[in-house]
Amino acid sequence: EAQVTQNPRYLITVTGKKLTVTCSQNMNHEYMSWYRQDPGLGLRQIYYSMNVEVTDKGDVPEGYKVSRKEKRNFPLILESPSPNQTSLYFCASSPTSDPYNEQFFGPGTRLTVL
Amino acid sequence: GQNIDQPTEMTATEGAIVQINCTYQTSGFNGLFWYQQHAGEAPTFLSYNVLDGLEEKGRFSSFLSRSKGYSYLLLKELQMKDSASYLCAVFDSNYQLIWGAGTKLIIKP
């Protein structure tokens, strides 16, 4: 089944404890992206990647890191999480970065930072 | 700045028709998407418009007017399962996707 998977789905952690949220897609997509979604706000892009070893900052990259060493994986790293990073996170992929491509979203990761 | 406006919440009756509007001001335009998002779930693709006019897909239609910076999503023969948030997103000239906050649609029997 073609899909985007994220792990973990739920995570409660404490300020300053490094964490990684994994994202993997099995559709051979070139373009991958991370978003956060907060109540009353639209999806905001954190980082995106147009292909392997190519990553760029989105609208809200502060406090986050990513890597794209393989085409299928795009992990999101929070080196020192803070409470303002409590949010719902979505990973998404699309065949290419061309505008007409729909994005396929993972199921989401709900993160709480205490 | 870049801005996408949608109503926060709308209510409609099962079997009826509802129109969800989206206005945008972005640096350039390379297409507009509508996504559906059920509570606690991931967004799923509904439509993509890049040319002016109406695109129909079953019970859902999407309209675009680039000169007015305006789009709407039309849902016909509403069903209870259509209760969800509907997200409008615009691809700007930098090939970044700018998202509206979404419209929560409540369907009543």
Side-chain angles (χ1 to χ4, degrees):
Chain A
E1 181 190 354
Q3 60 183 348
V4 179
T5 56
Q6 292 178 229
N7 281 291
R9 293 289 313 280
Y10 302 91
L11 180 60
I12 300 174
T13 189
V14 294
T15 299
K17 187 176 181 182
K18 181 179 179 180
L19 66 92
T20 299
V21 184
T22 64
C23 173
S24 183
Q25 50 91 7
N26 62 0
M27 296 170 279
N28 201 36
H29 285 172
E30 291 182 355
Y31 184 89
M32 297 187 74
S33 181
W34 274 103
Y35 295 94
R36 62 177 288 173
Q37 187 175 38
D38 301 291
L41 300 176
L43 286 163
R44 292 182 291 169
Q45 191 176 53
I46 303 170
Y47 270 95
Y48 64 97
S49 169
M50 292 199 179
N51 216 324
V52 177
E53 301 292 0
V54 179
T55 62
D56 281 295
K57 295 178 180 179
D59 297 320
V60 288
E62 295 78 21
Y64 304 95
K65 286 174 59 177
V66 294
S67 67
R68 188 89 182 274
K69 296 177 182 174
E70 307 162 287
K71 200 170 190 178
R72 63 185 293 129
N73 295 324
F74 191 45
L76 179 70
I77 303 156
L78 285 72
E79 294 270 3
S80 182
S82 62
N84 65 10
Q85 292 179 299
T86 292
S87 188
L88 179 59
Y89 291 87
F90 287 104
C91 178
S93 74
S94 59
T96 68
S97 59
D98 289 319
Y100 50 78
N101 284 313
E102 71 173 274
Q103 294 203 38
F104 295 83
F105 285 82
T109 295
R110 189 168 292 281
L111 173 65
T112 301
V113 184
L114 302 174
Chain B
Q2 312 219 78
N3 197 49
I4 295 183
D5 286 317
Q6 309 177 231
T8 303
E9 188 175 294
M10 298 181 71
T11 302
T13 304
E14 190 176 16
I17 299 173
V18 72
Q19 176 175 310
I20 302 174
N21 296 325
C22 170
T23 57
Y24 61 90
Q25 292 173 307
T26 56
S27 55
F29 179 85
N30 281 301
L32 185 144
F33 288 89
W34 284 97
Y35 281 78
Q36 180 189 60
Q37 186 179 23
H38 285 100
E41 298 183 9
T44 54
F45 170 81
L46 288 177
S47 67
Y48 172 71
N49 294 68
V50 67
L51 300 176
D52 289 352
L54 186 68
E55 299 257 353
E56 297 186 72
K57 195 185 290 185
R59 294 189 299 113
F60 292 13
S61 303
S62 56
F63 172 83
L64 175 67
S65 168
R66 287 173 298 171
S67 62
K68 295 182 179 178
Y70 168 71
S71 172
Y72 68 73
L73 182 69
L74 192 71
L75 291 73
K76 302 176 185 175
E77 301 169 16
L78 286 170
Q79 302 174 10
M80 297 304 292
K81 67 179 182 179
D82 297 329
S83 291
S85 288
Y86 291 86
L87 314 180
C88 174
V90 171
F91 237 112
D92 70 8
S93 57
N94 296 319
Y95 290 89
Q96 277 206 287
L97 202 52
I98 312 300
W99 295 81
T103 299
K104 183 179 180 180
L105 178 63
I106 299 168
I107 310 295
K108 295 187 174 179

